[in-house]
Amino acid sequence: MGGAKNCPETPRQKMIGMMYLVLTAMLALNVSTDILNGFRLVDDSLHFTIDAIESRNQEMMQAFQIAAEQNEAKNGEWYQKAIQLQQKSDSIYDFIQNFKYEIGVLADGKKKAPSKEVVGVRTIAARDNLDVTAQYAINEGHATELKDMFVAYREFLIALTEGEKEVEFNKMFSTSGGTTNDGDPIDWEHVIFDGMPVGASITILTKMQNDIRAAQSEMIQYLRDQTDAADLRVNKMEVFVVPNSRYVIRGGKYSAKIVLAAVDSTARPDYYIEGQKINETGIYEVIASGLGQKKYHGELVLPAKNEGEEDIRFPFESDYSVGEPSVTVSNTELNVMYRDYQNKFSISVPGVANDKVRVNVGNATASQRGGLWLIKPNGSAKEVTISVSAELDGRMQLMGSLSYRVKDLPKPGAYFKSGSTEYNEGKIARNALLNPQATVIASYGSEGLLDLQYSITSFQLQTSMGYSQSAGNKFSKAQLDQLSKLKPGAVVNIVDIRAKGVDGKEVRLRGIPLTLN
C-alpha cells in the first residue's frame, strides 16, 4: 500500500490554527478575576489603614506643636525634626501616588483614568494589564527613582534614631533584589514591577505608602518620647467612685473602685473612707448589713511634692442599696403545673446574669430551652418546689423557693373545622358540612392557655338515619352520603370522639351537636 500524500491546509484551516494559537497565548497571560478582586480588597484595606494612621499622626503633631510652644527650649528642636520627618515622608508618599496615577493613565487612557487623589485598584478598569507597569517603572526608569528615594528615606530614619531602629527600617524599606530559578541575580526594580499586572502593582505601591505612614507615626512618637512631650501639666482633677454594682443582696459584698481622673505617676494617693485609711489599691469593700440605701463619704489625699506645701485633698461621696435576697419566677402559661407536660417558666434573679443562676426542683425534671425553663412533674407528684440559687462573689447563695400544685392536664375541646371556621355547636350550612376537606380537631381554643397537639383517631356520626363510624378525623364516604340526604333542620351529632395526645394516651372528648341550615 502506498503512503498517503500530504494534504495542503486550506485558508480556513490556517485561520483556525492561528486563532487557536492566539487563544492559547491569551489564556497563558490571563490573570484570574478572583486574584484581581483579592488585590482590590487588600488595596481597599490598606487605604483604610492609611487614613487611620494619618489621622493619628495629625493629632500627635498638633500635641507636639502645643508642647513646643509651651516650652521652646525643651521641645522646639525635636519638634523641628518632626517637621522635617513630615516633609520627607510627604515627598516620597506623593511620588508614589503620582507613580500609581501614571500607571492608571497608561492602563485606561487619559480620559478614563481616575484623578490622582483617588487612584486605586478599585478605580482602574484594566487592572489585568501585564505590560504598562513594566513600561512605566522599568523602561522609563521611574522604579530606579523610587528605589533611590527609598534608600535616602531609610538612611534619614536610621540617622534620626542614631541607629536604634536600623534593623527595623532596613527590613521595612529593603531594596534588595532576588534571583531567578537558575540562580541569576535580579535587581529590585524587576523583582517588584516586571510582568506584574496593574492590580498587583497598585496594591504593592499602596503597601509602600502604608509603610511610610506607619514609620512616620512611629518616629513622631519616638521624637516625643525624647522630650517627655506627652507629660503635660494637669489643670483639673476629679475623683470617681466606680462600684461593681449599686444593688447588693444582704450577705453579699459591695465593691467599688475609687480613681482619680488624672494623677502624677510618681505620687501615690492615700484613700480614706469615713476618716479611716483603706488599702493602697483604692478598692473599698464592706459586708452589706441592714436594708435600704447606704451612703458614705471620704477623701483622696495627694501628698505634697515639696516640704512646706500642703497635701491636696479631693473629697467624694457615693451610695449603694441593700435588698433582701429575692427571685422572680413567672409561669408563662399557667398558675399551676400539669402532669406529663413541659411547663414553661421564666426564672431570673435581679442584678445577676442568667448564666450565674441555678434551678433545682423536687418531684420533677428541669431543662433550659430558648431562655425558658421547662419543668415536667413526675407522674405521681402532687406538688413541685422550685428552688433558685445565684452565684455571688464566687459562692452560691439561695435566693428563694416557690411551690406549685400538680394537676392532670385538662381535656381539649372538640371542634368541626370547615375552611377557616371552627364549630363546637350550633347551625351549619350544607356546603360547610359536606366540605370533603373538613376535619374534626381537638384544641384548647383560641383563648386556651395550653398549646398541645392532639390527633383525632375516630368518631361516630349520629343522625336520624342512624350511626356510622369514621376511620380518622374526616367524614367517610358513607357518612358524606348520609349527610347529603338530610333536609334543613336535621340534627347532626358528632359523638364518641377519640383523640391521642403527645404522651400517647387516648382520651374521649365531648360531642359536637350541629343543626343543618
Side-chain angles (χ1 to χ4, degrees), residues 329-339 341-346 375 377 386 403-410 444 447-452:
V329 179
S330 62
N331 188 331
T332 61
E333 293 183 321
L334 308 167
N335 57 4
V336 295
M337 283 195 194
Y338 286 103
R339 191 174 287 107
Y341 176 65
Q342 296 278 20
N343 299 268
K344 298 180 178 65
F345 284 83
S346 175
I375 300 178
I386 302 175
S403 296
Y404 286 81
R405 291 178 296 112
V406 178
K407 291 186 176 182
D408 290 330
L409 279 168
Y444 287 98
E447 301 298 328
L449 296 177
L450 293 173
D451 182 18
L452 292 175

Side-chain angles (χ1 to χ4, degrees), residues 54-72:
E54 286 181 336
S55 177
R56 180 173 182 269
N57 289 352
Q58 184 177 4
E59 292 175 359
M60 288 196 296
M61 287 297 291
Q62 290 174 349
F64 210 158
Q65 181 181 1
I66 293 173
E69 292 172 352
Q70 292 179 344
N71 193 337
E72 174 67 22

Side-chain angles (χ1 to χ4, degrees), residues 128-188:
D128 58 347
N129 189 299
L130 295 167
D131 300 319
V132 297
T133 295
Q135 175 186 336
Y136 181 79
I138 298 174
N139 297 347
E140 297 182 18
H142 298 294
T144 301
E145 293 181 57
L146 178 58
K147 177 181 178 180
D148 294 339
M149 293 183 72
F150 262 139
V151 171
Y153 185 70
R154 180 181 67 210
E155 296 304 320
F156 167 75
L157 296 179
I158 293 173
L160 205 57
T161 64
E162 297 181 351
E164 284 187 30
K165 298 182 179 293
E166 181 175 1
V167 174
E168 177 183 346
F169 290 134
N170 276 335
K171 184 177 180 180
M172 182 178 290
F173 301 107
S174 173
T175 54
S176 301
T179 58
T180 65
N181 294 334
D182 298 328
D184 297 326
I186 308 175
D187 59 25
W188 179 84

Side-chain angles (χ1 to χ4, degrees), residues 257-312:
K257 175 70 174 178
I258 302 168
V259 296
L260 190 63
V263 298
D264 183 352
S265 61
T266 64
R268 184 183 296 276
D270 296 322
Y271 304 92
Y272 293 86
I273 299 293
E274 307 294 346
Q276 297 295 320
K277 187 175 181 180
I278 64 173
N279 56 71
E280 294 181 352
T281 63
I283 297 177
Y284 173 48
E285 294 182 339
V286 61
I287 300 299
S289 61
L291 301 177
Q293 188 179 47
K294 306 295 178 181
K295 294 184 178 180
Y296 62 94
H297 67 275
E299 62 179 2
L300 184 148
V301 180
L302 195 62
K305 293 185 177 180
N306 302 311
E307 292 184 3
E309 296 180 351
E310 293 184 357
D311 296 340
I312 303 175

